[in-house]
């Protein structure tokens, strides 16, 4: 498989690897995928009082394209409002990273991870309201 | 450290042609270029002589008693097809049942599937967790209708060596023919068709430091005389079993490759074993949670298949891209399914995704092994730092209790 420059860049210099405190009410955590399927992504967002995503982190078990997709996703959500982040589509990731058809599902996983993190944050807000 | 990069350590996939083999082969392109079937002139006779010599070298490498038992083919895929379909078609009246193993090469499995579409029945034996067939199960699967047992010598993914002599004995006792795909075995383990009771045996030059596109099928001529139906019809070459003008340069090379292994096998085996041991102990001493796939000692000397838990195989390959190895991970396969061989061993899917196959060969050096250990340890460590699974395990979470959202 020939990887695009951008996939290689994210793989070699992943942005925002790490973890945020998952019990913090301002943090939303999404974990998607399954080890049996060969891909698990964890994406976290930290949301400011103004509803803007201040920070994001990821950890991924998966192929290089999955790592690149989640790394890119954390870059993209930072600075966005929750509503804006919800508009990120896997097709945008495919285009940006030049993913071949067989790797599209890795980008789908990244979109799912963003949504899962947003949903987790929303659920926490509701509980604390 | 002065290692020349990239490093080739994927010798199950194919091997580099030994320079001595290349040298022997070259004159047969532009000097001795006759058709081996042209017996009426010197060009043809010189070619025929070269082929005859190669046939003797090939027979010797597998302990065949006569060079007439060697049928030249285009490789192991063709030999597998010819053996299985050829025996089945010839013996249709005698029985319609075949036995093989679910960890065989696709060329063997799919030949059986093709026969099933014609009405034959196949038993696909399971393997034990170490990758070996259970002899009691094999014996139990044999019926009066069974005409052929097909079991490989060395597995191409995990390197385990099947108990060939015992299998040969069981087949002989029941009067069933025994076909062995030895593509990964010739030159790697001691093989002797007489001692092991093998009736048909497939092998291929490109796995033994010869060129691609040339192979052979051993077909026993005595006790019993094995009869086959040909697949390729035409000029009646190879005693009618495989028509087509012989690829003389490739056959000469194949013969020379066989000659080299018969001369140096013990020495080479010892060297490969030492390299493999160095690799395995080097990895084990620096990484936790790594697992050997397949039997620990019943394996070809250069073969090592390891699962690096919590690190997906393709991402690991990407990190060590200057080292050519392969992975059983789904992400590297067109089907997005993890290796069926590892699955058959009962390796969890999640561990199958993390497997790497190292194939150490004749041209690998100790320096390359040391470099490989260092790089694999580095990349596995880095990828584990970014693995959510590794994080969970560090936190004491049992991954089996997690409610995954898998597809
Ligand atoms: C066990 C086994 N059988 C058959 C084959 C096919 O050999 P060839 O490439 O010569 O057709 C291979 C190699 O891929 C193999 O490893
Ligand atoms: S995670 Fe398997 S192909 Fe990307």
């Amino acid at each position: 498989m020939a990887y695009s420059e951008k996939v290689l860049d994210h793989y070699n210099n992943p942005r925002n690897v790490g973890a945020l405190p998952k019990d913090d009410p301002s943090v939303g955590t999404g974990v998607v995928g399954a080890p049996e399927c060969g891909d698990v992504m964890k994406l976290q967002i930290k949301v400011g009082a103004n509803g803007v995503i201040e920070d994001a982190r990821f950890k991924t078990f998966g192929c290089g394209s999955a790592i690149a997709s989640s790394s890119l996703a954390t870059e993209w959500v930072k600075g966005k409002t929750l509503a804006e982040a919800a508009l990120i589509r896997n097709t945008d990731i495919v285009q940006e990273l030049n993913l071949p058809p067989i790797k599209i599902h890795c980008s789908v996983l990244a979109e799912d991870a963003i949504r899962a993190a947003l949903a987790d944050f929303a659920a926490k807000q509701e509980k604390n309201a | 450290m002065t290692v020349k990069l990239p490093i080739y350590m994927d010798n199950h996939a194919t091997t580099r042609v030994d320079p001595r083999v290349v040298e022997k082969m070259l004159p047969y392109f532009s000097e001795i270029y006759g058709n081996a079937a042209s017996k009426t002139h010197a060009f043809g006779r010189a070619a025929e002589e070269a082929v005859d010599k190669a046939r003797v070298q090939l027979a010797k490498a597998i302990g065949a008693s006569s060079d007439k038992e060697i049928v030249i083919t285009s490789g192991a895929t063709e030999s597998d097809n010819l053996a299985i379909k050829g025996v089945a078609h010839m013996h249709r009246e005698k029985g319609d049942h075949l036995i093989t193993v679910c960890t065989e090469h696709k060329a063997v499995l799919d030949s059986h599937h093709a026969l099933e579409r014609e009405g034959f029945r196949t038993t696909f034996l399971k393997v034990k967790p170490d990758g070996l067939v259970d002899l009691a199960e094999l014996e139990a699967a044999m019926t009066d209708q069974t005409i052929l047992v097909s079991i490989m010598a060395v597995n191409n993914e995990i390197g385990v060596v099947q108990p060939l002599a015992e299998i040969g004995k069981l087949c002989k006792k029941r009067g069933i023919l025994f076909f062995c795909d030895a593509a990964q075995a010739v030159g790697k383990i001691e093989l002797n068709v007489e001692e092991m009771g093998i009736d048909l045996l497939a092998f291929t030059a490109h796995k033994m430091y010869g060129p691609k596109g040339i192979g052979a099928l051993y077909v026993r001529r005595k006790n019993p005389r094995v009869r086959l139906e040909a697949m390729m019809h035409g000029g009646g070459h190879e005693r009618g079993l495989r028509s087509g003008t012989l690829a003389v340069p490739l056959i000469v090379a194949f013969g020379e490759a066989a000659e080299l292994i018969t001369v140096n096998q013990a020495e080479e085996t010892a060297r490969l074993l030492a390299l493999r041991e160095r690799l395995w102990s080097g990895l084990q001493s620096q990484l936790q949670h790594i697992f050997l796939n397949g039997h620990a000692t019943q394996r070809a000397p250069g073969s090592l298949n390891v699962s690096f838990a919590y690190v997906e195989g393709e991402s690991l390959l990407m990190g060590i891209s200057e080292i050519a190895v392969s992975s059983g991970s789904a992400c590297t396969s067109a089907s997005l399914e993890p290796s069926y061989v590892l699955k058959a061993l009962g390796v969890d899917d999640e561990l199958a995704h993390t497997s790497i196959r190292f194939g150490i060969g004749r041209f690998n050096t100790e320096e390359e092994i040391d470099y490989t250990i260092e790089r694999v340890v580095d990349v596995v460590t880095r990828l584990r730092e970014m693995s959510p699974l590794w994080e969970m395990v560090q936190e004491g979470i049992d991954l089996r209790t997690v409610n995954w959202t898998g597809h």
Side-chain angles (χ1 to χ4, degrees), chain A residues 3 7-8 11-12 14 17 19 22 31-40 42 59-64 67 102-103 105 109, chain B residues 310-312 314-316 318-319 331 333-334 336 349-350 353-354 379 382-383 385-389 391-392 395 404-407:
Chain A
Y3 301 98
V7 169
L8 283 171
Y11 173 83
N12 289 318
V17 176
K22 62 173 177 293
V31 180
V32 295
E36 309 89 83
C37 305
D39 36 35
V40 176
K42 187 183 90 164
K59 286 200 177 186
T60 291
F61 166 79
C63 72
I67 290 172
I102 194 162
K103 295 296 181 184
H105 77 102
L109 210 61
Chain B
Y310 320 119
V311 175
E312 191 281 317
E314 186 185 324
S315 66
L316 176 49
M318 202 169 161
C331 304
S333 76
L336 293 180
D349 275 2
E350 64 180 272
H353 288 293
T354 71
V379 175
R382 177 173 97 86
L383 290 172
E385 286 308 315
M386 54 198 278
S387 164
L389 304 179
E391 179 182 81
M392 289 176 189
E395 287 168 0
W404 301 105
T405 62
H407 4 260

Side-chain angles (χ1 to χ4, degrees), chain B residues 193-207:
Chain B
V193 290
E194 292 301 337
E195 285 167 17
M196 294 172 161
I198 297 168
D199 298 310
L200 301 112
L201 178 137
F203 56 128
T204 185
H206 77 98
K207 311 275 190 192

